[in-house]
Amino acid sequence: MRNINELENVFGQADDDFVDNVHHTLAYLQKSRNRKPVRIGYYRIAAVIAIICVLSAGTALALSNTWGILDFLSGRRLDVEVLPEASKIVQTDVPQEGTQTDVAAFTVREAVYDGQSVYIVLDVKPSSPDYLLLGPDVYPSDQTASMGPIFNGGTGTIADYAQENHKEMLQTSVGISGANCSIDYLLEEDGTLVYMIEGRYEGDSAAPDVELRCVAVPFVIENGKYTRDMDSKKDTTLSATLKNTGTQESVISTEPAVFDDCGVRVDKITLKSSAMSTYAEVEFTVIDEEKYAETDGILFEFLDSYGERIPSGAASGGGIVTIDDTHYIEKISLQATEKLPSEVILRGYSYLDKDRYETHTFEMK
Amino acid sequence: MTSDEFAERIVAMMQTLYRVSYTQLSQSCDRDEAVQECLYKAWEKRQQLKDERYMQTWIIRILINECHNIQRKRERELPMEELPERAAPTGADYELHDALFGLEESQRLPLVLYYVEGYSVGEIAKILHWPQGTVKSRMRRGRKELKKTLCGEDSLSCET
């Protein structure tokens, strides 16, 4: 007979990477006091692999070394559509400084900044053909397919591949200082690791300087196991000057609405449009704590006139921002649209239970 | 609280941070992101913690919020069906692992906080912002599901 008190045995011990991450974050906080640490979000690698496998168009692009922002969005993301005008706001000549480390050069290839989100494609070019660059969540024991389309159909681990080809493995990471980022990456045939980075970065500046923290850490064998040699870590801060193309249009809801089922009042909805995405903000207030608690955290989704959920946009979701104990803002990226609507339909739902709650229509001006 | 004291207490909570984030997030990179953001927010708002005795509960509350934020972000990026299956970590009890992670999160989380982290029902209610009755009913349903999964109704002894 099993005893429920054995549940502790389900977890094992925190792995080395988790422990390293906590120590690294604490060290950063101690060093920089109140500055926000560089935080990196990742697309789930397994999902990325799944996408890689079915996208032959993406593979063709990879082989010709021409992955740009729009290629990443169309070739590596599901159902993401941008407006045709998006191609006109892509910066291909990005002023930048501080790009080199001993082991790799970090260069911004393309950028888009629409005043709401930053989208950057960045090359990490190894300084020696003997270096094999890996993404931030890839390890030598992973399958080669996790490095990108050029390894499609290949079998065996990255460590095996590196050994057979006499290459030294380095883990790399790139993040935008002060922004929560989502990252995708792939290895090109010449050994360049290409990153697509996207993050919310709101500001009014016409030409903001964005800091990118770039890190490369070699793997070494210790006690028969691959581990990152943090003493040999190389990093650089790359400063890139972006052009703020701004949002085109903005509308705000005219009246609040009470979502009685879930104990909240939606105070305001704001929509801003750009060629990349429609950026939505839903500001809400908890008016019945018990009902709100029952929802396990309400989320909102936008519906079209047929009651279908409007697809996500190119930007990652901004999550929930807490204003205070009862006030929150949910930031949502919706598919880009030529013209913002004069009314929107909003439905509440519970993330955990998938319960759908009531729907309200808001007039937008 | 000095930064050294803060760091010392966080390091002492290492396994708890790991287990709570593991309970909610299947991907190690997501767990790293959640913990990093949790520590930043906790450090930034440390003056709001009126009684340092409750630091652990406070940190767990922040971490759970961050895990939820990441779940929501991920849901918008890719359909949930794309989520890879969670493999049990080295040294874990595989059978119990799979049974626990077969539960809905709303049942799994209070069970972990109660049986693994040692919180009372009242404390869990505060951490999760649920009424105590909800905590109890979800734990009850979770235990029942675990019993069913682990080969028969009487295969799991619950000392509560």
Side-chain angles (χ1 to χ4, degrees), chain A residues 259-274:
Chain A
F259 285 65
D260 201 37
D261 287 357
C262 30
V264 303
R265 181 186 64 237
V266 171
D267 301 310
K268 189 167 85 171
I269 299 172
T270 307
L271 298 180
K272 290 178 182 173
S273 69
S274 93

Side-chain angles (χ1 to χ4, degrees), chain A residues 2 30 39 42 293 330, chain B residues 33 37 76 93 95 155 157:
Chain A
R2 309 298 304 269
Q30 285 179 299
R39 188 159 79 77
Y42 312 103
E330 185 182 0
Chain B
E33 185 179 341
E37 186 66 14
R76 294 195 191 291
D93 180 327
E95 189 186 22
S155 63
S157 160

Side-chain angles (χ1 to χ4, degrees), chain A residues 316-336:
Chain A
S316 56
I320 300 273
V321 178
T322 304
I323 306 302
D324 57 39
D325 285 348
T326 56
H327 295 88
Y328 302 91
I329 299 176
E330 185 182 0
K331 296 189 175 191
I332 302 166
S333 165
L334 300 170
Q335 191 170 285

Side-chain angles (χ1 to χ4, degrees), chain B residues 26-74:
Chain B
S26 62
Q27 300 287 295
S28 62
C29 54
D30 287 343
R31 295 195 286 273
D32 287 348
E33 185 179 341
V35 169
Q36 212 176 67
E37 186 66 14
C38 161
L39 296 184
Y40 166 70
K41 284 190 176 158
W43 172 250
E44 190 187 39
K45 296 182 177 179
R46 64 195 181 282
Q47 306 303 342
Q48 292 177 13
L49 180 64
K50 293 183 179 65
D51 187 337
E52 288 180 15
R53 284 177 302 169
Y54 300 119
M55 178 167 165
Q56 180 155 332
T57 313
W58 181 65
I59 295 276
I60 288 175
R61 177 66 246 168
I62 298 172
L63 179 58
I64 288 170
N65 273 343
E66 290 311 318
C67 291
H68 281 169
N69 274 342
I70 289 172
Q71 288 170 334
R72 288 163 183 153
K73 266 169 51 179
R74 296 294 179 252

Side-chain angles (χ1 to χ4, degrees), chain A residues 81-94:
Chain A
E81 287 180 19
V82 296
L83 298 183
E85 300 88 284
S87 59
K88 294 180 188 158
I89 61 172
V90 175
Q91 248 182 293
T92 51
D93 186 10
V94 182

Side-chain angles (χ1 to χ4, degrees), chain A residues 71-84:
Chain A
D71 304 316
F72 267 95
L73 291 175
S74 62
R76 308 261 295 180
R77 294 278 303 274
L78 292 173
D79 303 326
V80 170
E81 287 180 19
V82 296
L83 298 183

Side-chain angles (χ1 to χ4, degrees), chain B residues 5 11 20 40 46-47 50-51 72 82 86 95 98-99 102 105-106 109 125 127 129 131 135 147 158 160:
Chain B
E5 286 166 348
V11 170
V20 170
Y40 166 70
R46 64 195 181 282
Q47 306 303 342
K50 293 183 179 65
D51 187 337
R72 288 163 183 153
E82 301 281 355
R86 184 196 295 260
E95 189 186 22
D98 291 349
E105 188 188 307
S106 58
L109 193 52
I127 288 172
H129 291 176
V135 175
K147 279 184 186 178
C158 304
T160 60

